[in-house]
């Protein structure tokens, strides 16, 4: 059904212009659509975070603007747009201005691969998971640049911490993903999801898959710079960390990108462990759009766990962060990959 | 072996913490029972301050627009911040033929007041007392300077009327 | 090779102005840090950003007026500060206060102590990064604030003590509210432990951090829970019992470890002790007057006077030199936070910025108390 709409639009455009122009127009249209999704998603997640935080903290959270305060973040975004863009005098101006776009662009690129449902996926390549992981780690460069170019010592410390965190936790995310790729035997996202029709990987892979999921959640939290790994911002230590000197919309880019990154990490988790858009036991296979529904529900459930972490745990110190990665997560991860390979080899998976 | 027991104990301690916050989340999400914040401007009607709440200094006036202040300036002297200024004048009392001091303006600077309560303790006539109003927000600092005796008010004839 | 590296890769120590506007400095404290990367080489304190010359203001105020200024020193233990001035004047003038007044003062002090520690606990969590603890702490603090507001008329700057007693008699709901609070808090305190004290990340952040030995603690003049975390017995309530502290049973909490986690546990245990003090007193408030009549103008005899009380942060002292007038000739507050803060450099040297924040939290500073 949804495919019909897309074909209709395609035919309509073909009637208007040449095939090449149609191709370019469609790319632009998809890009604009994803920008829209990006903004709405970011604003929604910010609202969700604040609301959930409210309930965790015996408060109500935003509840004035719109139903349940849903439009609060839109109001905040409007306020941020209208604010002056300030910066330090001695900042490295070029880098300072470019830095937010690194974060935004990479987040958008990663969004292209996310399978919202069977039909809605902009870019389904055969190295999908690999692409997703590599692109989402470029975004950290934006944070690093922001810390460097702001010419502020707090920002610099924040930026340096990002570098350390990026090098360490990329490994864990990658290896947790590799563990699941061993089970799946493919990197293409649509195929990974299709393979799970007989059972989600977290069940078929049982013990190594559960370990991989736990490691992925920990490392994913670190990747998206959230508590307990928010050393980059660490408001009680560094003020605001890397975005201390950013204001207005440039700050909002970072803020939105942080939440979209969390969404991306959650999506990868859902695709790899919980069967993407598939419904549990295939109960709603016949209903159109059900894939979108199940995908959203699963992603929000994973995001909720991230939020639960954030509103419960204290922050690590930088050396403890490294200890956790190099002494605990990495060895466990390596053993886990071997275990998974053995399981697949011996056919012990369901 | 402490390597693995560390992992297990650590994870357990984290999960116990998550159970505490999770419990509050679900209670609040479903019933809003544990929400402790006040929904401030909404509950203005039902918001009652305690009787002893020290919001501002007020002067008691009865229904005839009469107060008990006889401009003795004890409150002005008791105030550590100079929040009270008393402007008084003398007037010939036709009945007794004596000059009697009466109050023209009892000026109260709310912006300087620390709500220490010494003026109210010092007042021998119980002319000033605590008000429970806490809405002191103004856009103009000058509006915080108040004249406590109402315009046209007179001193009460001493009939031992209690407040 | 090594020469080449040291030539090319020069590292440099740098200075970082932490504060006066910084979330972890609890107000307007400024720390000048000398850093090597993230490692602290030296901490220099720069005080005076909210100096209000309260001691000088006291010299132009009568003894009655001084009391309300002490609210503004350490605003979290304002009741104890008031009490110190009142006890000093009462001692100097030989005013004998009734048992009821003593018990009321003790109960209010202990409530203040709990409310101060509860706030500290919430802020401690926030400094370490667990933002939720703040609201949980405030839930209990709100109950205490309601007790204060009902009886004293204000929530923070109560100004409840007057020379020769307390300003108002206890409200009729007081005992009931305190009992409610005790049952509530007995249920919630174990939750504090589960949420924060036993948390592995929290423990690792505090254990062995900010160590100060018993000898150094004495040498730096540390006091209150900060010193008791190093095993120094310094509770004024035990050494020089005042008010009703001689008739209640409580334990002076001592932890010999001397690190941040020891200081943390001292405060948590102190809340239990304060609860037990409240429990002992709440049913045994003697009847009687809440206030002794004093002269309208209070003049202290010539001489030096000193009164110490145990505030939530430690040993709070008032020293008055009187020349027989109604104003003190010289008045000095000995604030616990100032002495505790001086040891910061000793504690934080060689650690990281994150540790400095944790140490500042466990010292439990209130900047108006330090700057006065």
């Amino acid at each position: 059904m949804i495919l019909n709409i897309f074909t209709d639009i395609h035919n309509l455009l073909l009637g208007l212009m040449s095939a090449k122009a149609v191709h370019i127009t469609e790319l632009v249209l998809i890009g604009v659509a994803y920008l829209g999704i990006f903004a709405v998603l970011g604003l929604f997640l910010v609202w969700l975070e604040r609301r959930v935080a409210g309930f965790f903290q015996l408060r109500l959270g935003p509840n004035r603007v719109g139903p349940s305060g849903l439009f609060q973040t839109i109001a905040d975004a409007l306020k941020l747009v209208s604010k002056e863009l300030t910066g330090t005098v001695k900042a490295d101006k070029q880098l300072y201005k470019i830095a937010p776009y690194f974060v935004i662009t990479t987040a958008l690129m990663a969004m292209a691969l996310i399978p919202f449902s069977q039909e809605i996926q902009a870019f389904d390549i055969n190295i999908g998971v690999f692409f997703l992981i590599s692109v989402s780690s470029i975004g950290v460069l934006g944070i690093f640049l922001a810390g460097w170019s702001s010419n502020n010592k707090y920002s610099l410390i924040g930026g340096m911490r990002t570098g350390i965190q990026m090098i360490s936790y990329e490994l864990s995310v990658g290896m947790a993903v590799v563990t699941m790729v061993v089970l799946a035997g493919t990197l293409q996202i649509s195929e990974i999801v299709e393979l799970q029709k007989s059972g989600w990987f977290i069940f078929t892979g049982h013990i190594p898959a559960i370990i991989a999921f736990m490691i992925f959640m920990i490392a994913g939290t670190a990747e998206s710079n959230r508590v307990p790994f928010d050393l980059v911002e660490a408001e009680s230590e560094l003020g605001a960390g890397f975005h201390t000197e950013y204001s207005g919309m440039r700050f909002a880019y970072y803020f939105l990108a942080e939440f979209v990154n969390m969404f991306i990490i959650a999506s990868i988790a859902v695709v790899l462990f919980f069967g993407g858009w598939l419904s549990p036991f295939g109960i709603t296979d016949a209903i159109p759009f059900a894939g979108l529904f199940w995908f959203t529900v699963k992603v929000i459930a994973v995001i909720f766990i991230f939020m639960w972490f954030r509103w419960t745990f204290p922050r690590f110190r930088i050396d403890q962060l490294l200890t956790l990665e190099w002494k605990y997560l990495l060895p466990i991860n390596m053993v886990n990959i071997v275990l998974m390979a053995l399981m697949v080899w011996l056919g012990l998976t369901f | 072996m402490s390597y693995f027991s560390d992992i297990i104990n650590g994870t357990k301690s984290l999960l116990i913490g998550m159970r505490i916050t999770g419990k509050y989340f679900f209670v609040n999400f479903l019933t809003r029972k544990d929400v402790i914040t006040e929904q401030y401007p909404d509950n203005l009607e039902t918001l009652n301050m305690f009787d002893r709440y020290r919001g501002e200094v007020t002067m008691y006036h009865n229904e005839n627009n009469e107060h008990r202040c006889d401009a003795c300036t004890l409150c002005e002297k008791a105030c550590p911040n100079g929040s009270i200024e008393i402007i008084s004048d003398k007037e010939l009392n036709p009945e007794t033929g004596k000059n009697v001091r009466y109050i023209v303006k009892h000026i109260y600077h709310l912006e300087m007041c620390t709500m220490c309560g010494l003026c109210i303790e010092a007042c021998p006539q119980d002319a000033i007392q605590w008000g429970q109003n806490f809405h002191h927000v103004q856009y103009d600092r000058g509006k915080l300077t108040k004249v406590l005796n109402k315009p046209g008010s007179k001193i009460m004839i001493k009939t031992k009327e209690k407040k | 090779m090594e020469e080449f590296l040291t030539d090319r890769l020069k590292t440099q120590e740098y200075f970082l102005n932490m504060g006066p506007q910084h979330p972890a400095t609890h107000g307007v404290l400024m720390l000048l840090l000398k850093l090597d990367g993230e490692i602290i080489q030296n901490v220099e304190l720069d005080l005076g950003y909210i100096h209000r010359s309260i001691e000088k203001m006291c010299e132009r105020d009568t003894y009655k007026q001084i009391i309300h200024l002490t609210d503004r020193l350490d605003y979290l233990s304002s009741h104890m500060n008031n009490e110190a001035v009142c006890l000093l004047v009462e001692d100097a003038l030989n005013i004998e206060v009734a048992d009821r007044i003593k018990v009321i003062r003790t109960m209010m002090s202990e409530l203040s102590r709990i409310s101060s520690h509860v706030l500290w606990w919430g802020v401690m969590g926030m400094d370490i990064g667990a933002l939720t603890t703040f609201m949980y702490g405030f839930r209990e603090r709100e109950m205490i604030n309601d007790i204060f507001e009902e009886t004293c008329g204000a929530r923070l700057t109560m100004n409840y003590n007057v020379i020769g007693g307390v300003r108002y008699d206890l409200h009729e709901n007081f005992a009931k509210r305190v009992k409610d609070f005790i049952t509530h808090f007995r249920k919630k305190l174990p939750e504090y432990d589960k949420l924060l004290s036993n948390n592995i990340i929290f423990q690792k952040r505090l254990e062995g951090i900010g160590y100060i030995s018993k000898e150094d603690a004495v040498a730096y003049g540390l006091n209150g829970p900060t010193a008791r975390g190093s095993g120094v017995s310094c509770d004024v309530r035990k050494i020089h019992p005042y008010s009703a502290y001689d008739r209640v049973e409580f334990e002076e909490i001592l932890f010999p470890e001397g690190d941040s986690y020891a200081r943390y546990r001292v405060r948590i245990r102190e809340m239990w002790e304060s609860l037990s003090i409240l429990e002992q007193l709440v049913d045994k408030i003697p009847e009687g007057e809440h206030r002794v009549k004093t002269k309208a103008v209070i003049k202290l005899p010539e001489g030096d006077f000193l009164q110490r009380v145990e505030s939530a942060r430690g040993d709070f002292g008032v020293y008055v030199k009187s020349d027989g007038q109604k104003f003190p000739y010289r008045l000095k507050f000995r604030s616990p936070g100032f002495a505790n803060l001086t040891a910061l450099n000793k504690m934080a040297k060689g650690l990281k910025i994150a540790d400095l924040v944790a140490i500042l939290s466990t010292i439990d500073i209130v900047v108006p108390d330090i700057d006065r």
Side-chain angles (χ1 to χ4, degrees):
Chain A
M1 185 180 169
I2 200 155
L3 268 178
N4 292 342
I5 301 169
F6 291 148
T7 1
D8 285 349
I9 296 171
H10 183 71
N11 292 333
L12 185 77
L13 287 173
L14 269 181
L16 292 174
M17 49 190 108
S18 70
K20 208 161 201 176
V22 166
H23 185 64
I24 293 168
T25 323
E26 277 175 356
L27 286 183
V28 171
L29 278 178
I30 291 169
V32 170
Y34 266 79
L35 266 179
I37 295 174
F38 183 91
V40 171
L41 200 66
L43 291 175
F44 171 74
L45 287 176
V46 174
W47 169 83
L48 190 72
E49 171 100 298
R50 288 171 62 182
R51 195 80 178 149
V52 166
F55 290 137
F56 273 124
Q57 301 189 337
L58 320 175
R59 301 184 281 119
L60 286 180
N63 57 2
R64 296 301 161 99
V65 191
S68 300
L70 254 176
F71 302 143
Q72 178 68 49
T73 44
I74 297 175
D76 289 346
L78 282 177
K79 186 209 80 171
L80 282 171
V81 170
S82 68
K83 291 200 105 175
E84 186 194 351
L85 295 172
T86 57
T88 43
V89 178
K90 286 191 176 173
D92 192 332
K93 290 273 159 35
Q94 302 302 326
L95 293 180
Y96 178 79
K97 281 173 190 163
I98 290 173
Y101 299 102
F102 265 88
V103 183
I104 285 276
T105 321
T106 49
L108 254 176
M109 279 163 80
M111 284 257 296
L113 274 99
I114 289 171
F116 291 99
S117 79
Q118 198 160 9
E119 299 89 5
I120 310 172
Q121 186 185 5
F123 191 42
D124 188 20
I125 46 171
N126 55 0
I127 51 161
V129 176
F130 179 63
F131 182 83
L132 210 53
I133 294 296
S134 46
V135 156
S136 66
S137 51
I138 295 176
V140 191
L141 268 182
I143 296 176
F144 197 63
L145 275 183
W148 172 255
S149 64
S150 294
N151 198 19
N152 174 320
K153 284 167 191 165
Y154 287 116
S155 303
L156 184 65
I157 296 172
M160 289 302 158
R161 285 179 176 185
T162 316
I164 295 166
Q165 205 167 313
M166 174 175 68
I167 292 167
S168 313
Y169 281 84
E170 274 302 310
L171 267 175
S172 276
V173 171
M175 290 179 89
V177 169
V178 165
T179 316
M180 298 317 288
V181 169
V182 168
L183 179 61
T186 173
L187 286 166
Q188 192 165 1
I189 284 171
S190 55
E191 271 182 40
I192 290 177
V193 179
E194 287 297 329
L195 278 171
Q196 299 185 50
K197 276 207 163 134
S198 54
W200 297 355
F201 279 170
I202 196 144
F203 300 124
T204 52
H206 50 94
I207 298 167
I210 290 168
I211 296 174
F213 175 65
M214 285 166 80
I215 291 171
F216 185 85
M217 286 302 278
I218 296 170
T221 323
E223 275 289 279
S224 49
N225 292 331
R226 294 172 61 81
V227 172
F229 303 95
D230 69 333
L231 294 112
V232 181
E233 285 172 42
E235 72 209 3
S236 61
E237 295 154 29
L238 304 180
F242 67 94
H243 60 63
T244 309
E245 296 294 347
Y246 282 89
S247 74
M249 211 50 213
R250 286 197 194 123
F251 161 73
Y253 286 154
Y254 280 114
F255 202 60
L256 287 184
E258 188 191 320
F259 281 88
V260 173
N261 276 333
M262 180 173 70
F263 174 80
I264 289 164
I265 296 283
S267 307
I268 299 175
V270 166
V271 166
L272 288 180
F273 299 98
F274 299 107
W277 66 80
L278 296 172
S279 55
F281 311 111
I283 44 175
T284 59
D285 278 354
I287 309 167
F289 295 115
L292 189 60
F293 169 76
W294 285 113
F295 184 78
T296 320
V297 167
K298 286 174 193 171
V299 167
I300 286 182
V302 175
I303 284 177
F304 176 73
I305 296 175
F306 281 137
M307 289 177 178
W308 201 342
F309 288 162
R310 174 160 182 181
W311 300 110
T312 308
F313 297 146
R315 187 185 302 124
F316 281 102
R317 199 171 57 215
I318 189 78
D319 55 326
Q320 292 165 347
L321 182 99
L322 298 178
T323 310
L324 177 70
E325 164 64 22
W326 297 100
K327 285 195 183 160
Y328 290 90
L329 293 188
L330 196 66
I332 294 172
N333 228 332
M334 285 174 158
V335 174
N336 198 32
I337 290 184
V338 176
L339 190 65
M340 181 58 105
L342 281 175
M343 298 276 258
V344 173
W345 183 45
L346 298 172
L348 288 177
T349 51
F350 297 126
Chain B
M1 265 341 260
S2 76
Y3 181 83
F4 292 106
S5 66
D6 272 2
I7 295 177
I8 290 165
N9 290 336
T11 320
K12 208 193 270 173
S13 80
L14 296 179
L15 289 177
I16 288 171
M18 281 176 75
R19 202 179 68 197
I20 301 269
T21 48
K23 191 185 79 190
Y24 284 118
F25 173 82
F26 286 108
V27 168
N28 285 330
F29 181 65
L30 299 173
T31 64
R32 314 276 147 94
K33 206 179 74 191
D34 281 344
V35 171
I36 54 161
T37 46
E38 306 255 341
Q39 301 305 306
Y40 169 54
D42 302 351
N43 65 354
L44 259 186
E45 303 298 316
T46 55
L47 196 63
N48 289 321
M49 304 309 284
F50 293 110
D51 293 340
R52 291 177 185 174
Y53 179 69
R54 306 203 293 265
E56 61 177 343
V57 176
T58 56
M59 188 176 279
Y60 173 73
H61 287 72
N62 69 2
E63 61 273 15
N64 299 330
N65 202 13
E66 290 172 332
H67 56 76
R68 281 193 284 255
C69 179
D70 58 359
C72 65
T73 70
L74 275 179
C75 53
E76 191 180 358
K77 281 173 192 144
C79 182
N81 316 305
S83 312
I84 294 176
E85 278 178 66
I86 287 174
I87 301 173
S88 59
D89 203 351
K90 280 181 181 171
E91 181 185 53
L92 191 72
N93 190 333
E95 286 172 26
T96 55
K98 281 180 189 165
N99 269 338
V100 178
R101 188 171 287 279
Y102 74 99
I103 192 152
V104 180
K105 273 182 178 175
H106 187 293
I107 300 170
Y108 169 51
H109 294 276
L110 181 63
E111 78 271 22
M112 292 201 267
C113 181
T114 53
M115 315 291 167
C116 67
L118 289 175
C119 53
I120 286 159
E121 285 203 357
C123 186
Q125 312 289 342
D126 281 343
I128 46 176
Q129 60 194 39
W130 283 117
Q132 272 74 44
N133 176 28
F134 58 93
H135 276 273
H136 301 313
V137 187
Q138 297 286 357
Y139 282 107
D140 184 3
R141 185 187 163 97
K143 284 180 186 160
L144 291 172
T145 305
K146 296 174 178 177
V147 178
L148 291 190
N149 54 331
K150 290 182 185 162
S153 59
K154 273 194 226 121
I155 186 163
M156 228 175 267
I157 312 297
K158 278 183 190 160
T159 52
K160 297 282 173 201
E161 184 198 336
K162 282 283 163 197
K163 58 175 172 176
Chain C
M1 183 65 191
E2 208 164 272
E3 266 175 34
F4 173 80
L5 276 179
T6 43
D7 274 3
R8 293 292 178 89
L9 299 170
K10 253 191 269 177
T11 58
Q12 202 182 345
E13 284 171 348
Y14 63 104
F15 287 96
L16 181 69
N17 293 313
M18 197 165 173
Q21 309 296 333
H22 190 281
T25 55
H26 297 239
V28 282
L29 173 71
M30 182 173 154
L31 306 170
L32 185 58
L33 308 182
K34 190 178 175 192
L35 293 171
D36 174 17
E38 274 211 44
I39 296 168
I40 293 163
Q41 303 289 338
N42 193 31
V43 184
E44 209 171 296
L45 294 165
D46 189 357
L47 302 175
Y49 280 90
I50 51 164
H51 185 76
R52 295 150 296 169
S53 68
I54 282 187
E55 283 172 11
K56 198 71 191 165
M57 278 159 79
C58 290
E59 288 171 22
R60 56 126 232 237
D61 280 356
T62 64
Y63 291 100
K64 280 182 182 176
Q65 290 173 339
I66 285 170
I67 297 169
H68 93 285
L69 285 173
T70 59
D71 280 343
R72 274 91 187 159
L73 296 174
D74 175 359
Y75 46 79
L76 291 177
S77 41
S78 57
H79 191 90
M80 289 89 124
N81 298 354
N82 291 347
E83 195 177 353
V85 177
C86 293
L87 288 172
L88 179 133
V89 177
E90 282 158 17
D91 272 6
L93 296 176
N94 291 323
I95 299 170
E96 190 61 42
V97 296
D99 277 358
R100 182 177 174 83
I101 298 168
K102 286 181 178 173
V103 170
I104 290 174
R105 281 178 173 172
T106 307
M107 289 185 72
M108 287 292 178
S109 292
E110 290 311 311
L111 282 172
S112 298
R113 195 181 315 280
I114 292 176
S115 95
S116 167
H117 282 357
V118 156
L119 180 77
W120 158 81
W121 180 80
V123 176
M124 171 98 220
M126 263 175 77
D127 280 343
I128 302 288
L131 298 167
T132 309
T133 57
F134 185 70
M135 290 301 281
Y136 291 180
F138 256 70
R139 173 185 53 198
E140 273 76 61
R141 194 174 148 74
E142 202 61 22
M143 292 182 79
I144 300 176
N145 276 350
D146 277 349
I147 297 173
F148 285 153
E149 194 179 1
E150 196 171 40
T151 295
C152 317
R155 300 163 72 81
L156 197 65
T157 51
M158 278 97 71
N159 196 18
Y160 183 55
N161 283 301
V162 291
I163 292 161
V166 289
R167 185 175 297 263
Y168 308 109
D169 205 353
L170 288 178
H171 198 273
E172 55 193 5
N173 290 344
F174 178 79
K176 187 182 155 291
R177 273 183 190 269
V178 170
K179 278 178 197 160
D180 283 353
F181 173 75
I182 291 169
T183 45
H184 173 83
F185 200 45
R186 279 205 186 278
K187 264 186 279 171
K188 296 297 177 190
L189 252 174
E191 228 169 61
Y192 286 19
D193 282 342
K194 285 180 194 162
L195 185 59
L196 206 57
S197 320
N198 296 339
N199 189 306
I200 180 93
I201 304 172
F202 186 76
Q203 284 182 0
K204 295 270 181 217
R205 279 296 300 277
L206 293 189
E207 272 172 2
I209 296 301
Y211 172 76
I212 188 151
S213 66
K214 191 173 178 178
E215 290 73 30
D216 280 336
V218 173
Y220 275 98
L222 301 195
N223 50 62
T226 315
R228 292 198 280 277
S230 297
V232 182
S233 170
C234 59
D235 198 329
V236 183
R237 295 175 292 174
K238 282 276 184 205
I239 305 168
H240 302 293
Y242 55 95
S243 291
Y245 285 113
D246 47 359
R247 70 184 73 175
V248 288
E249 280 181 18
F250 66 100
E251 195 190 330
E252 181 178 3
I253 313 295
L254 291 175
F255 278 90
E257 286 91 343
D259 60 353
S260 292
Y261 195 55
R263 295 192 280 274
Y264 172 87
R265 278 185 293 169
V266 166
R267 290 202 174 82
I268 293 282
R269 284 280 304 281
E270 269 191 10
M271 288 198 261
W272 285 106
E273 291 302 317
S274 293
L275 266 187
S276 101
I277 293 176
L278 281 176
E279 227 165 28
Q280 290 171 46
L281 290 177
V282 69
D283 285 324
K284 287 188 246 165
I285 306 174
E287 294 298 317
E289 284 291 308
H290 66 278
R291 194 167 178 177
V292 181
K293 270 248 179 275
T294 53
K295 284 184 204 155
V297 178
I298 289 167
K299 285 182 185 173
L300 252 60
E302 254 179 73
D304 302 334
F305 304 96
L306 175 69
Q307 177 67 47
R308 294 162 70 187
V309 294
E310 179 77 12
S311 85
R313 253 142 227 90
D315 182 351
F316 177 79
V318 186
Y319 167 77
V320 169
K321 189 173 181 63
S322 170
D323 56 354
Q325 296 300 309
K326 60 176 180 176
F327 309 119
Y329 176 72
R330 171 79 174 96
L331 187 142
K332 158 97 180 123
F333 293 119
R334 187 251 185 239
S335 63
F338 185 78
N340 288 343
L341 194 61
T342 48
L344 184 65
N345 193 16
K346 177 88 184 168
M347 290 177 186
K349 212 177 257 184
L351 300 174
K352 300 196 171 52
I353 297 176
D355 295 329
L356 176 75
V357 174
I359 294 166
L360 260 182
S361 252
T362 52
I363 293 178
D364 190 16
I365 50 163
V366 167
V367 183
D369 176 41
I370 294 157
D371 267 352
R372 301 198 284 285

